[in-house]
Amino acid sequence: MEVRRTVPVKLDVSDSDANLLSETIDEFLWAANYVVGVASNGDWVETRASKLQSLTYDDVRDATRLHSNHVQSARNQAVKALKSVIATWKRGEKASLPTFTSRFCEYNHRNVTFYDDYATLSTVEGRVTVNYVLPDETRHTPHAEYLHSDEWEKTGATLHHRNGSFYLHIRTKADVDTPDLPENGTVLGVDLGVKNIAVTSTGTFWTANEFNHWRREYEKRRGSLQQCGTRWAHENVQSVGQSETGRFEQYLHRVANELVTEAIDYGCSYIAFENLTHIRENIPEATWQHVWAFRRLYGYVEYKAAKHGITTTQVNPRNTSRRCSSCGFTHEDNLGNDTMCCQKCGYRNHRDYNAAKNIGLKLLRNQTGAEGGAPVGVRLNSGMLNANGLTSVPGLGRAGVHAESPRL
């Protein structure tokens, strides 16, 4: 199974080479924005890469000093962003045409060469050598695991320039042996929320107390610094943002590792999340930090689970909280503050746990009847739930933080 990983590496760059890299990024962003302008000239937005190649390639080459591969990469970035905007329009939502402002530049195997502790990058005036700033190689880091391993092939990179420093996000891939899974596996349903960052159909809760505490603390720090209005305060606001991101990413990696372990322990071959496209509508109390955390957590689980042959997917979250996972009765009166109490059959349990089981059942119902690979049940802490609401009790049954009530 092919698995891909991206390893961020800070770069040590001389002042003269830094100027060349900065100029290359400037011209790359200009090229991408130029393609967007040509593609959206008039009522029709062009997204065919071949068509935009013929419309823009010569102009960009004449107007910039970019390597031909940079010109093509800029076009590809524009096409990708335009397609995303059009997909938003098709959902009936508003979105502006893309504008590239974040300082980055794409590299492929033709304009970057990787070595053990440095790389050479094409710029607007030839190649420059950039040295890696690496941690101790004896430590268990992504650099030691992917960057310095002969098993992982380096396929390209993205150069980023932020806060005065350059970073190279190196893309790698490898064929990884995954454990044999049954053709028809089981589903681990995962519900996301503000009070509990994640709850599984096996009854395990990951509280969001730590996340919410530090979110409030960082907001206070930013607010206090922004009131100062000085350059020092502005620079420290950026530092606070970096510290916040680092702390939250570490926290989300830990939750993702435990979620994947939960799926492995229960023999699940699917992990089902609620669809994140309209997550703010489904969870109105969620802040932008929560939405960011949900998306980042899903991404972490997706690539960590793939290494074990587990598929991660999303399902429509409609009525997953209001629906009784025992009898299927759906009504808004089923919901309390933290409890789901079915008005029809009397089943009572935590609303997030009930939603997690329903998310697993959504995938089960979507795939039952399809040819091959259909899950046969949703894994619970006390057994397994199938599409008909029946349960079986397998030998494996590790209790989670929150246990299922006796009545199913």
Side-chain angles (χ1 to χ4, degrees), residues 5-9 142-143 146-147 168-172:
R5 296 288 184 270
T6 299
V7 183
V9 181
H143 311 84
Y146 307 118
L147 202 59
L168 197 62
H169 290 205
I170 302 174
R171 296 184 291 274
T172 66

Side-chain angles (χ1 to χ4, degrees), residues 120 125 128 146 148 152-153 161 195 244 284 326 341 369 398 408:
T120 62
E125 292 186 13
V128 299
Y146 307 118
H148 296 141
W152 291 82
E153 176 189 355
H161 187 211
K195 292 184 179 179
E244 179 183 27
S326 178
C341 182
R398 180 166 64 88
L408 295 172

Side-chain angles (χ1 to χ4, degrees), residues 192 276-279 290-300:
L192 303 172
L276 303 179
T277 303
H278 303 288
I279 193 71
H290 287 105
V291 175
W292 172 87
F294 297 153
R295 298 185 187 279
R296 191 62 62 93
L297 178 62
Y298 178 83
Y300 289 163

Side-chain angles (χ1 to χ4, degrees), residues 262-276:
E262 187 86 355
I264 295 171
D265 288 350
Y266 280 90
C268 299
S269 49
Y270 298 84
I271 301 177
F273 283 77
E274 55 189 296
N275 191 291
L276 303 179

Side-chain angles (χ1 to χ4, degrees), residues 76-372:
N76 292 340
Q77 289 294 315
V79 169
K80 181 179 178 181
L82 287 166
K83 287 182 176 179
S84 177
V85 169
I86 290 175
T88 302
W89 290 346
K90 288 182 177 179
R91 294 195 299 267
E93 302 173 15
K94 294 182 179 180
S96 301
L97 288 170
T99 301
F100 294 92
T101 57
S102 178
R103 296 185 57 73
F104 78 100
C105 181
E106 288 294 329
Y107 282 85
N108 57 35
H109 65 280
R110 292 185 178 88
N111 48 21
V112 59
T113 304
F114 301 103
Y115 298 92
D116 289 341
D117 54 2
Y118 69 97
T120 62
L121 303 173
S122 293
T123 70
V124 291
E125 292 186 13
R127 287 205 171 213
V128 299
T129 298
V130 294
N131 295 310
Y132 301 156
V133 180
L134 298 173
D136 185 355
E137 292 185 18
T138 61
R139 295 168 51 193
H140 182 70
T141 65
H143 311 84
E145 185 174 356
Y146 307 118
L147 202 59
H148 296 141
S149 172
D150 294 335
E151 297 178 0
W152 291 82
E153 176 189 355
K154 302 174 186 67
T155 61
T158 304
L159 178 68
H160 292 272
H161 187 211
R162 56 180 181 269
N163 301 324
S165 297
F166 288 94
Y167 299 84
L168 197 62
H169 290 205
I170 302 174
R171 296 184 291 274
T172 66
K173 69 176 182 178
D175 289 327
V176 177
D177 292 333
T178 57
D180 292 332
L181 294 171
E183 182 179 355
N184 293 324
T186 54
V187 182
L188 182 72
V190 181
D191 180 64
L192 303 172
V194 171
K195 292 184 179 179
N196 298 296
I197 195 74
V199 180
T200 65
S201 57
T202 52
T204 301
F205 283 47
W206 283 267
T207 177
N209 288 345
E210 177 183 348
F211 179 88
N212 290 328
H213 167 74
W214 285 108
R215 178 181 60 82
R216 291 189 293 267
E217 287 297 314
Y218 283 118
E219 284 181 346
K220 291 179 183 177
R221 294 181 191 180
R222 277 194 296 269
S224 177
L225 290 169
Q226 286 170 348
Q227 288 181 354
C228 295
T230 64
R231 180 176 179 179
W232 172 87
H234 175 72
E235 292 175 350
N236 276 270
V237 167
Q238 294 179 325
S239 178
V240 167
Q242 293 174 0
S243 176
E244 179 183 27
T245 300
R247 179 183 291 274
F248 289 162
E249 285 181 339
Q250 184 180 26
Y251 163 78
L252 294 170
H253 268 296
R254 186 174 71 246
V255 175
N257 286 333
E258 294 174 0
L259 271 168
V260 173
T261 299
E262 187 86 355
I264 295 171
D265 288 350
Y266 280 90
C268 299
S269 49
Y270 298 84
I271 301 177
F273 283 77
E274 55 189 296
N275 191 291
L276 303 179
T277 303
H278 303 288
I279 193 71
R280 288 293 291 271
E281 298 176 12
N282 302 323
I283 310 178
E285 65 273 24
T287 65
W288 67 265
Q289 292 103 326
H290 287 105
V291 175
W292 172 87
F294 297 153
R295 298 185 187 279
R296 191 62 62 93
L297 178 62
Y298 178 83
Y300 289 163
V301 171
E302 185 177 33
Y303 84 75
K304 291 172 187 290
K307 195 171 182 179
H308 300 278
I310 299 173
T311 300
T312 306
T313 188
Q314 299 180 24
V315 300
N316 188 339
R318 179 178 174 82
N319 291 328
T320 51
S321 294
R322 292 190 287 265
R323 182 183 186 276
C324 173
S325 60
S326 178
C327 72
F329 179 69
T330 303
H331 198 280
E332 60 183 12
D333 289 343
N334 286 349
L335 289 182
N337 186 22
D338 290 322
T339 305
M340 195 292 303
C341 182
C342 181
Q343 302 301 300
K344 182 178 180 180
C345 72
Y347 172 74
R348 177 188 295 269
N349 217 310
H350 196 286
R351 59 183 292 172
D352 294 344
Y353 179 37
N354 177 74
K357 292 197 290 182
N358 281 325
I359 288 170
L361 283 169
K362 283 259 187 175
L363 180 63
L364 179 62
R365 288 195 297 271
N366 289 346
Q367 295 199 21
T368 299
E371 294 183 3

